[in-house]
Amino acid sequence: MEAGENVRIVNESDGAVVENIVTDEDSETVAQGEDKSPTFGFTEPSWRTDLCLVVEGTKLYVAKNILSLASPVFDAMFQSDFKEKSSDELELPGKKLRDVLEFLRCIYPNTYTQINRDNARVILPLLEEYQVLQLKPRCEVVILETVSEETSTNDLLQLLKEACLYDLKALRARCIFLISSRPCDALDENYCKSFPSASALNEIFLNPLCVVLRRGYVTEQVNEVTQCGT
């Protein structure tokens, strides 16, 4: 992290602890963890569950009250006149089983799963969709820990896209700072692949460091053209 940047990272110990709670056929979709076993699984119904989530054909048994406490979207869904209020089964089309499992493990009590570098970017879209905003700062912290001078420009641009999409201000500032110091030819090439937001792009090219580098890059191109013509 560069000195003088307005980015604060809180150091926290990570420990993704997950048990394989899916069948052997689906085991590849479950992240492996340490020896701690969660006290709640999702593959079997019990007196604690009153809703079945269907994801990629797999049934996950959950409790509406826990989903409601974690997510205002689920809360509104179960209290409104939507069919989900009285239904005991809810299909989640377009969702991946692995992603939903990670999401559930992170919002559910007693699963011993923490947000870490492996699952932060996986669950961010679901946190945003279901408005579980209290977990987004933790995601931002662990993602920031993966960003450094060694991070490729392409990866920085992808992270910048996600930072803009999910309103992660510290990550956005960090990515813009690092991208602004990259060679302009590399930035132009990679930008075409990743398309960060227009406002973020403006911040990059208006950054004083980027202005200096771009001026030098343009000068080099002019010199090359001049030499070719002589």
Side-chain angles (χ1 to χ4, degrees), residues 57-75:
T58 298
K59 293 186 175 182
L60 305 175
Y61 296 91
V62 296
K64 287 183 179 180
N65 63 334
I66 292 179
L67 296 185
S68 294
L69 287 171
S71 161
V73 174
F74 279 120
D75 188 49

Side-chain angles (χ1 to χ4, degrees), residues 38-199:
T39 59
F40 189 87
F42 300 102
T43 58
E44 296 294 334
S46 73
W47 65 269
R48 300 182 180 89
T49 63
D50 57 2
L51 179 68
C52 172
L53 300 177
V54 182
V55 189
E56 292 186 322
T58 298
K59 293 186 175 182
L60 305 175
Y61 296 91
V62 296
K64 287 183 179 180
N65 63 334
I66 292 179
L67 296 185
S68 294
L69 287 171
S71 161
V73 174
F74 279 120
D75 188 49
M77 190 184 299
F78 300 143
Q79 292 191 60
S80 68
D81 293 330
F82 295 138
K83 63 179 181 180
E84 289 82 5
K85 180 178 181 179
S86 57
S87 176
D88 58 2
E89 186 169 295
L90 176 61
E91 190 165 356
L92 301 181
K95 303 290 190 296
K96 294 181 179 179
L97 177 60
R98 175 182 297 178
D99 297 354
V100 174
L101 279 170
E102 281 302 314
F103 173 74
L104 291 174
R105 293 184 190 121
C106 290
I107 69 171
Y108 236 80
N110 299 327
T111 55
Y112 299 116
T113 297
Q114 298 179 15
I115 296 175
N116 55 63
R117 297 181 182 188
D118 295 324
N119 64 20
R121 294 176 71 181
V122 168
I123 67 171
L124 256 176
L126 292 172
L127 295 181
E128 186 73 18
E129 179 176 351
Y130 295 110
Q131 291 295 287
V132 188
L133 304 182
Q134 65 272 20
L135 295 185
K136 285 175 59 177
R138 175 59 185 163
C139 286
E140 184 171 29
V141 167
V142 297
I143 294 172
L144 271 166
E145 291 172 351
T146 70
V147 180
S148 69
E149 296 285 353
E150 285 70 44
T151 306
S152 70
T153 303
N154 193 51
D155 287 344
L156 286 173
L157 286 164
Q158 182 59 43
L159 285 167
L160 178 58
K161 277 178 52 178
E162 295 175 17
C164 293
L165 184 60
Y166 304 123
D167 194 29
L168 306 178
K169 293 181 173 59
L171 179 62
R172 184 179 188 275
R174 178 63 173 161
C175 290
I176 287 175
F177 178 85
L178 290 172
I179 293 170
S180 298
S181 64
R182 297 297 168 88
C184 295
D185 52 346
L187 175 59
D188 291 339
E189 177 184 352
N190 286 289
Y191 168 70
C192 294
K193 301 175 183 177
S194 297
F195 298 100
S197 73
S199 61

